[in-house]
């Protein structure tokens, strides 16, 4: 059984991401956890001491959230496969990132699917502040669905890498299992540096090649250039329905979170984007 968390703020963007997940996993046995987190606009004394329920007080926000979650499940059930899909609703007084991390550990979650939302700041404009926080904290893969992406099966997955990643720590096995859902082809994109690969990179590339032997894949080496233009150029010549990157320390993705200005979003705003966590 595949276990997937679907965080929702009951917005159109959240529903769009939920619909994507249901289509993607239409033929697979899944348990979906619909999660909504809330914090009171004004922290009452009962919240600072614990939850209202612990003090025998009514928790209006929790009750409202639970009702909205049940309504959401009723709405999405016609889109699901009743023979293979089950739903669990979960409302919590917590930040979204903290609750995602908690439920992922407790329930053995395979991955999280969430939508984008507008906010302020470079990455926040692209993903939304909640999404950025979840990606940064999550110990499981996070799949982000752009709010205007019309569903296409991810039959072509673009995986940029610098061969400096320890693929044992990068949840690569999850990516390989995920690629089997739609019999996807993995496009491994590397940007060559003038110095070429060092010994460590050569070893990691060999290790990666070994892991991909039984999977449909192709390697690409592009001339030295910035990653975003390289991804955009690749996408213009090849179909891509999913972009996957590893969030390892000092990686391009990590720098992207810290960069104050992102001028060329390109592909990131056009197709679903999966972030694989990195175990240190």
């Amino acid at each position: 059984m595949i276990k997937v968390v679907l965080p929702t703020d009951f917005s159109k963007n959240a529903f769009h991401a939920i619909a994507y997940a249901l289509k993607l996993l239409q033929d697979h046995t899944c348990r979906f956890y619909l999660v909504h987190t809330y914090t009171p606009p004004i922290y009452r004394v009962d919240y600072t001491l614990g939850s209202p329920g612990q003090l025998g007080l009514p928790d209006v926000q929790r009750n409202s959230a639970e009702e909205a979650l049940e309504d959401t499940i009723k709405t999405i059930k016609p889109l699901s496969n009743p023979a293979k899909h089950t739903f669990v609703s979960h409302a919590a007084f917590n930040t979204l990132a903290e609750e995602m991390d908690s439920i992922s550990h407790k329930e053995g979650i395979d991955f999280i699917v969430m939508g984008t939302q507008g906010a302020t700041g470079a990455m926040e404009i692209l993903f939304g502040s909640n999404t950025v926080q979840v990606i940064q904290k999550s110990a499981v893969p996070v799949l982000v669905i752009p709010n205007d992406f019309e569903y296409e099966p991810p039959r072509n997955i673009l995986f940029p890498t610098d061969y400096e990643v320890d693929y044992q720590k990068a949840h690569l096995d999850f990516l390989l299992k995920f690629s089997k859902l739609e019999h996807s082809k993995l496009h491994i994109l590397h940007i060559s540096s003038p110095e070429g690969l060092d010994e460590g990179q050569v070893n990691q590339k060999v290790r990666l090649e070994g892991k991909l032997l039984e999977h449909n894949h192709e390697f690409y080496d592009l001339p030295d250039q910035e990653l975003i233009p390289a991804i955009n150029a690749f996408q213009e010549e090849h179909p891509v329905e999913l972009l996957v990157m590893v969030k390892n320390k000092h990686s391009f993705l990590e720098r992207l979170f810290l960069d104050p200005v992102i001028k060329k979003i390109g592909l990131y705003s056009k197709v679903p984007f999966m972030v694989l966590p990195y175990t240190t």
Side-chain angles (χ1 to χ4, degrees), residues 26-79:
Q26 184 71 19
D27 298 323
H28 302 273
T29 302
C30 302
R31 178 174 296 157
F32 295 103
Y33 294 79
L34 267 73
V35 178
H36 176 74
T37 59
Y38 61 94
T39 53
I42 299 176
Y43 285 83
R44 307 192 312 260
V45 64
D46 44 293
Y47 280 107
T48 59
L49 294 174
S51 72
Q54 291 174 325
L55 300 175
L57 300 172
D59 190 339
V60 176
Q61 284 193 274
R62 175 181 287 276
N63 294 339
S64 176
E66 289 176 346
E67 289 177 5
L69 285 169
E70 291 304 320
D71 288 342
T72 300
I73 290 176
K74 290 177 184 177
T75 301
I76 66 176
K77 271 194 171 180
L79 305 176

Side-chain angles (χ1 to χ4, degrees), residues 20 149 152-159 175 178-179 182-188 216-218 220 234-235 237-244 267 271-272:
Y20 179 98
F149 180 77
E152 292 183 68
R155 296 201 173 99
N156 293 278
I157 299 175
L158 178 59
F159 182 57
L175 174 58
F178 185 91
S179 70
E182 292 289 346
H183 307 287
S184 306
K185 180 177 181 177
L186 289 167
H187 302 265
I188 315 301
N216 186 10
H217 70 280
E218 187 170 349
Y220 304 84
F234 184 92
Q235 190 263 348
E237 297 184 7
H238 306 271
V240 173
E241 295 87 32
L242 176 64
L243 173 65
V244 178
L267 183 60
V271 302

